[in-house]
Amino acid sequence: MLIDSIDFAALYKQQLQLAHRSEKAPGHWDARAEKMAANCISPAGGYLQQLLQKINLRGAETLFDMGCGPGTVALALADRLSHVYGVDYSQGMLDVSARRAGEAGAANTTWIKRAWEEPWDDLPVCDIAVASRSTLVADMYQAMSKLNRQARLRVYTTHLVNPTFMSPVIQRVMDREVVELPTYIYALNVLYQMGIHARVEFIRGHNQGLDNSTFERFLDNVAWTHGALTEDERLRLYDWYQRQDADAIASPSRDWALLYWDKAPWGVEG
């Protein structure tokens, strides 16, 4: 078939390069750990609640949560499992996770510092493996292969539906080329070429965490998404910001694609 001749893993890397996407240093996430922890408890119908409803824990006792952040998913499921393992490359996130686990009395938790691209040979294989909003990785094939190997029963991952975190209008205001990140379509086809027929569902949600109520906060959000700004870009953004409704600057929704599958019984090599 023609589709089998397309290297989706290579296309993913190419699109990531075109988007000028580079992995943020752990320090970036260390600085945001407390804020993310404060925002992780969403109202009913939010991202977390929708995701938890989709995760099938039947027959499961352990959970492997890659890119656990402030422990959002791991701690939400800790009281339903014998042990949960949260893994992240940000020590700040792990410290917040451990503190929150202590506050919740969740003694059945272990927090491990590790990045996607580092060896996982010593990490525990668990019944369920999850990667929630942490899948914008350098190598999708390698990441999905490693996550599949960490699971005994099932794997759950969530990926971008929209190719931009902020409106493309903002890139045009800065006179930058509009670039788009790889969406879930790449991951779905990478899994297909690994022999994994993942199921797809969508999680609908509000674009939380982007406070554009002041120009300074707006600038911080733009710099976080698009990198360092020049003085000319700051002036362009200031002029544009003054003519906008701050509440309408960020997209009103942030949807995610949930890809999930039963652990592939064959050896998928990364």
Side-chain angles (χ1 to χ4, degrees):
M1 293 177 62
L2 180 60
I3 193 172
D4 294 324
S5 66
I6 301 173
D7 188 342
F8 283 99
L11 285 179
Y12 171 87
K13 291 181 179 180
Q14 182 180 353
Q15 186 62 44
L16 206 61
Q17 185 176 19
L18 288 171
H20 309 295
R21 174 74 177 189
S22 59
E23 187 174 39
K24 289 179 170 60
H28 284 276
W29 296 111
D30 292 348
R32 289 207 162 196
E34 291 291 352
K35 182 178 180 180
M36 288 185 65
N39 292 336
C40 70
I41 304 301
S42 303
Y47 171 88
L48 178 59
Q49 284 70 24
Q50 292 180 66
L51 175 61
L52 296 179
Q53 289 172 4
K54 304 293 185 182
I55 297 177
N56 178 6
L57 295 180
R58 179 174 51 83
E61 294 185 0
T62 54
L63 175 82
F64 180 94
D65 183 5
M66 181 60 198
C68 65
T72 307
V73 175
L75 290 174
L77 294 174
D79 62 350
R80 300 168 60 185
L81 297 164
S82 63
H83 206 94
V84 298
Y85 298 87
V87 184
D88 206 291
Y89 76 146
S90 163
Q91 187 60 52
M93 291 291 184
L94 296 173
D95 290 344
V96 170
S97 297
R99 190 200 74 221
R100 295 183 64 224
E103 293 170 350
N108 61 333
T109 60
T110 299
W111 309 102
I112 304 170
K113 187 177 182 182
R114 197 67 53 89
W116 278 100
E117 64 274 11
E118 292 178 322
W120 287 12
D121 296 340
D122 60 327
L123 297 185
V125 174
C126 297
D127 296 316
I128 304 293
V130 174
S132 170
R133 299 191 289 197
S134 64
T135 56
L136 201 56
V137 294
D139 189 327
M140 183 61 69
Y141 183 95
Q142 181 191 66
M144 295 300 98
S145 299
K146 292 171 79 170
L147 202 60
N148 182 71
R149 287 199 298 269
Q150 291 305 126
R152 294 190 188 93
L153 299 176
R154 291 174 287 277
V155 183
Y156 296 83
T157 65
T158 59
H159 307 256
L160 293 176
V161 172
N162 299 317
T164 57
F165 284 114
M166 300 187 78
S167 170
V169 171
I170 294 173
Q171 295 175 66
R172 296 190 184 100
V173 168
M174 294 188 291
D175 199 26
R176 292 192 185 188
E177 177 186 3
V178 175
V179 294
E180 297 182 330
L181 295 164
T183 67
Y184 76 97
I185 290 296
Y186 291 86
L188 181 63
N189 283 288
V190 167
L191 288 166
Y192 167 79
Q193 292 187 327
M194 289 167 54
I196 295 174
H197 297 166
R199 286 154 282 184
V200 184
E201 295 189 36
F202 295 95
I203 296 176
R204 311 293 184 183
H206 295 290
N207 195 357
Q208 298 175 345
L210 290 181
D211 178 1
N212 294 305
S213 59
T214 67
F215 178 65
E216 289 72 22
R217 290 174 178 171
F218 170 67
L219 270 189
D220 286 344
N221 289 330
V222 175
W224 174 260
T225 303
H226 296 295
L229 306 176
T230 66
E231 184 60 26
D232 179 65
E233 289 173 337
R234 289 171 180 266
L235 291 173
R236 287 171 177 268
L237 290 169
Y238 180 79
D239 180 67
W240 178 80
Y241 181 87
Q242 299 306 311
R243 295 179 277 112
Q244 309 304 312
D245 177 353
D247 292 335
I249 291 175
S251 172
S253 66
R254 172 66 58 76
D255 297 337
W256 296 86
L258 170 65
L259 308 186
Y260 61 105
W261 64 94
D262 295 334
K263 190 264 177 55
W266 51 89
V268 181
E269 296 301 326

